[in-house]
Amino acid sequence: MCGVVACRMPGAAAPFLVDALRLLEYRGYDSAGVAILTTAGTTVSSRTTHRVDTLERQLDALEQAGVTGALSGTGIGHTRWATHGAVTEANAHPHLDCTGRISIVHNGIIENAVELRAQLEAERHVFASEVDSEVVSHLIEHELRSGGGLREAVTAATGRMRGSWAVVALDAQSGALVAAAHRSPLLVARSEKGVFAASDINAIAQWVDLFQAMRDGDVVELGEQFAWTRAGTGVTPPPFVSSIWSGTSHGLAGHADFMGKEIEEQPETAARIIDELAPRIANGSLWAELQLPPFERVAVLGCGTSLNAGRVIANAFGSLGDVPNSSLIASEGQSAIVEPRTLVIALSQSGETADVLRAIDDLDLGTSALVALTNSDHSTLARRADSMLNCNAGPEIGVAATKTFVAQVITGVAMALSALAATRRIDREYARRQVDDLRRIPDLLAHAIAASQKAIPPLIDEIRDAQGYLFLGRGSGVVYAAEGALKLKELSYRWAEHYPAGELKHGPLALVEAGTPVVVIDSGDRRIESNIAEVSARGGRVIRIGGAGSTIPALGLSLGTPMPGGIDRWGPLESVVPLQILARELALALGRDVDKPRNLAKSVTVE
Ligand code: AGP
């Protein structure tokens, strides 16, 4: 998965492309590159296996050498997350055809690339890289030989491709810029600043207010007017969508990194979401707006942190309304059987995770309904589901999901409460009391941040050299232990596993030796004391996240006013804060890049 951007504007394209690529870097940071049209009818290309900052320096050097004096305002750019082919400059985008006339950037996978490459090589096309994407530029070159313009050639080329693509092609000869999309996100927009295409609205939100999300099979020529076609025939353009985050700051606002910023934004984000949803929960209207059929059971599906959020929501349906529930790892979705009258909730902050999209394609839904819970209401998942609920977390730039987890949990629990009230599984008065408890979450999160920022930094020296970490919880706390272990692995590159605390003595206790860090989420189940004792007896270093007197006194219990409704409904949501901060502090102490952990990208659009 990668980030794609393109522009046609009156001024110089290079500064715009660099700015946009910085905002897309979270989608992949193995390499970055641009191709810019020159006034002489050629393109200048610059690529690097380093970060966008290096690309910017390379472009500055070109300008100082006088090369960019002839550059125009038309160009394409790319950030890469390597799937096919090593991280090398040759494999970095943009990719050219044999003549240098056509440059392309691509996000997705060309599934029949091997076959197409063999055909093209047999026709004497010479490839410069190992990547599947390069077939696109050569296919376009081939199709241009039959006459016609770039749009016709892109249409014919994509007609031969299988897989997924968000492609923008630039023709140095005509200056044409054509975008094509199929199962990969691509947005196009026009404003007084110019014409733009991007994988993600965040990349261009500062220049546009409205955009259009390309649909599967769309091919658009990005000229003075946009010419929308599919399979060569004109189609009605998709509606204009307002960019709700236009004008939103994408800067660090004084924080050292985006992850730190996004952790601290959680109380305010939670408060905004709860204020917006609260009036529609107990009266059932939030559920009614989704226009979904009655259900007898719930299944959640997702990957990584989104799956953890889904598990919290599934638990809430069970504990609040006795609704049978299950969770499904999206990448294993092909073997899932959906029982009749199931409410399937697909969670994905990006709405573009390929495993999730494949799972919803593979599921035989029958009488069941699919609702998407995502942070992007123009995403592929949002478009394919029967109904959609936006978790409204706002832009999340750090690769590690933090505030989107909190936003998904609150939005999903609100939907659960509203559905249960609307279907009379709980009475409205009971639902109102739950909403009162939801309203306490922002304060609990703020308290957890303050307590964690005080308690965690002094612990780091002691645990920094450990090679493995255990995370334990009980009941509704287990899923938070899972999220803590995921965060620690992702950011510190150290082994971390989670277990229901009672399972420890059935095997994992063998891992514990003197000094092994064991993080325990103590949400009040008294049986956890014996599990802690088992660890301490073997010399393990217990880090207890709980109420007053704990190693990290971050839970609401420590305020002396635990949630009146008890903790089991959606678990100790505020416990995610010390888990995030622990992972971040450890990673920083180990010299890791917490916003861009190695080998990862924010939106995983390959299976
Ligand atoms: C979270 O910190 C991870 N980066 C990852 O597990 C992520 O949650 C997962 O890839 C799912 O992404 P999605 O929510 O965009 O579908």
Side-chain angles (χ1 to χ4, degrees):
M1 106 225 57
C2 307
V4 164
V5 67
C7 68
R8 176 190 296 289
M9 53 207 303
F16 161 78
L17 292 171
V18 165
D19 278 0
L21 286 176
R22 266 206 190 91
L23 294 169
L24 288 175
E25 213 174 11
Y26 73 88
R27 297 177 71 88
Y29 29 87
D30 287 329
S31 63
V34 298
I36 302 173
L37 191 67
T38 73
T39 49
T42 58
T43 48
V44 166
S45 176
S46 185
R47 303 182 293 179
T48 175
T49 53
H50 299 284
R51 299 283 169 87
V52 173
D53 287 344
T54 306
L55 180 69
E56 184 176 34
R57 282 195 291 277
Q58 289 180 188
L59 288 167
D60 286 348
L62 281 175
E63 190 176 6
Q64 274 157 24
V67 178
T68 53
L71 292 186
S72 76
T74 300
I76 56 179
H78 191 267
T79 54
R80 177 170 185 242
W81 184 71
T83 55
H84 291 57
V87 178
T88 62
E89 200 174 305
N91 288 338
H93 297 223
H95 289 287
L96 305 179
D97 68 340
C98 297
T99 66
R101 173 180 167 185
I102 301 300
S103 315
I104 66 99
V105 285
H106 167 232
N107 170 36
I109 297 276
I110 311 299
E111 288 167 3
N112 56 340
V114 172
E115 186 185 320
L116 290 171
R117 185 173 175 136
Q119 290 166 14
L120 289 158
E121 282 176 336
E123 292 163 16
R124 301 189 183 284
H125 285 263
V126 178
F127 281 72
S129 78
E130 306 162 85
V131 302
D132 58 334
S133 309
E134 196 186 345
V135 298
V136 183
S137 49
H138 292 279
L139 279 174
I140 295 171
E141 175 189 6
H142 174 85
E143 300 297 340
L144 278 170
R145 286 183 196 149
S146 340
L150 183 64
R151 178 154 54 84
E152 290 76 13
V154 169
T155 302
T158 51
R160 291 176 65 184
M161 287 156 37
R162 281 201 317 271
S164 58
W165 55 86
V167 166
V168 186
L170 171 62
D171 180 357
Q173 193 171 301
S174 64
L177 201 56
V178 172
H182 184 66
R183 301 178 74 96
S184 282
L186 193 57
L187 316 167
V188 295
R190 198 172 39 226
S191 72
E192 72 281 3
K193 301 269 195 273
V195 162
F196 306 96
S199 300
D200 179 342
I201 187 60
N202 287 328
I204 54 174
Q206 57 183 304
W207 298 285
V208 303
D209 294 326
L210 297 172
F211 65 89
Q212 291 166 291
M214 292 182 68
R215 303 151 301 195
D216 288 352
D218 281 345
V219 175
V220 190
E221 179 145 10
L222 303 171
E224 284 300 302
Q225 302 296 318
F226 289 175
W228 288 83
T229 57
R230 208 174 299 155
T233 307
V235 289
T236 313
F240 285 96
V241 180
S242 135
S243 158
I244 53 169
W245 304 117
S246 65
T248 305
S249 162
H250 290 85
L252 284 166
H255 294 264
D257 47 71
F258 282 105
M259 185 188 184
K261 176 176 182 247
E262 287 152 8
I263 289 172
E264 291 199 21
E265 283 172 351
Q266 291 178 115
E268 188 226 309
T269 303
R272 176 173 48 72
I273 295 167
I274 294 165
D275 280 351
E276 205 269 312
L277 295 177
R280 298 184 283 144
I281 298 176
N283 61 15
S285 61
L286 177 62
W287 174 250
E289 287 158 24
L290 295 173
Q291 298 189 314
L292 291 165
F295 61 93
E296 286 170 10
R297 50 190 67 76
V298 164
V300 296
L301 75 90
C303 306
T305 292
S306 284
L307 180 60
N308 289 336
R311 286 180 168 143
V312 175
I313 295 161
N315 288 343
F317 270 101
S319 61
L320 286 161
D322 294 329
V323 178
N325 59 83
S326 57
S327 65
L328 178 61
I329 297 170
S331 55
E332 292 296 319
Q334 73 283 353
S335 51
I337 295 165
V338 178
E339 291 180 85
R341 293 165 71 87
T342 300
L343 172 64
V344 180
I345 307 171
L347 293 100
S348 171
Q349 69 80 22
S350 61
E352 302 296 346
T353 298
D355 289 326
V356 174
L357 299 177
R358 171 69 71 179
I360 64 170
D361 277 357
D362 286 349
L363 289 179
D364 179 3
L365 284 173
T367 56
S368 298
L370 175 71
V371 59
L373 179 42
T374 171
N375 197 32
S376 171
D377 54 13
H378 53 81
S379 62
T380 310
L381 176 62
R383 293 201 301 273
R384 286 202 202 155
D386 298 315
S387 198
M388 191 276 300
L389 199 51
N390 192 332
C391 73
N392 273 320
E396 187 178 73
I397 308 293
V399 164
T402 52
K403 65 175 178 169
T404 52
F405 173 83
V406 165
Q408 285 171 328
V409 167
I410 292 171
T411 308
V413 168
M415 174 177 69
L417 284 167
S418 190
L420 296 173
T423 56
R424 306 203 183 291
R425 288 172 167 104
I426 58 176
D427 68 46
R428 290 189 176 191
E429 185 42 43
Y430 178 74
R432 262 190 286 278
R433 288 202 301 275
Q434 305 304 311
V435 175
D436 289 343
D437 276 359
L438 280 179
R439 286 192 183 280
R440 299 187 58 213
I441 287 175
D443 285 345
L444 293 175
L445 294 170
H447 167 73
I449 290 173
S452 304
Q453 284 174 341
K454 194 164 161 213
I456 291 174
L459 290 173
I460 297 299
D461 266 358
E462 198 189 331
I463 62 168
R464 186 175 50 199
D465 295 329
Q467 292 307 307
Y469 301 76
L470 286 171
F471 288 76
L472 307 178
R474 272 197 176 263
S476 63
V478 174
V479 68
Y480 293 95
E483 178 58 12
L486 175 61
K487 281 286 156 296
L488 192 127
K489 275 183 277 226
E490 175 178 33
L491 293 162
S492 72
Y493 322 154
R494 291 275 168 81
W495 290 94
E497 295 305 332
H498 83 280
Y499 291 96
E503 273 297 289
L504 197 65
K505 56 190 177 294
H506 299 293
L509 192 56
L511 294 167
V512 175
E513 54 189 22
T516 302
V518 181
V519 179
V520 181
I521 296 158
D522 173 9
S523 46
D525 185 322
R526 59 183 174 72
R527 292 172 302 168
I528 211 146
E529 295 302 340
S530 53
N531 307 130
I532 288 175
E534 290 154 13
V535 171
S536 298
R538 272 99 191 157
R541 171 62 167 106
V542 174
I543 298 169
R544 187 195 292 238
I545 295 173
S550 304
T551 328
I552 310 173
L555 300 198
L557 303 164
S558 58
L559 295 174
T561 53
M563 290 264 201
I567 216 156
D568 285 336
R569 300 150 303 162
W570 51 79
L573 177 55
E574 69 274 25
S575 70
V576 78
V577 168
L579 296 167
Q580 296 163 347
I581 293 178
L582 180 69
R584 176 176 173 274
E585 291 290 337
L586 177 63
L588 289 173
L590 293 167
R592 316 298 194 216
D593 181 342
V594 293
D595 284 342
K596 299 184 182 84
R598 72 179 179 195
N599 305 338
L600 301 181
K602 185 136 192 89
S603 167
V604 186
T605 56
V606 291
E607 288 174 62

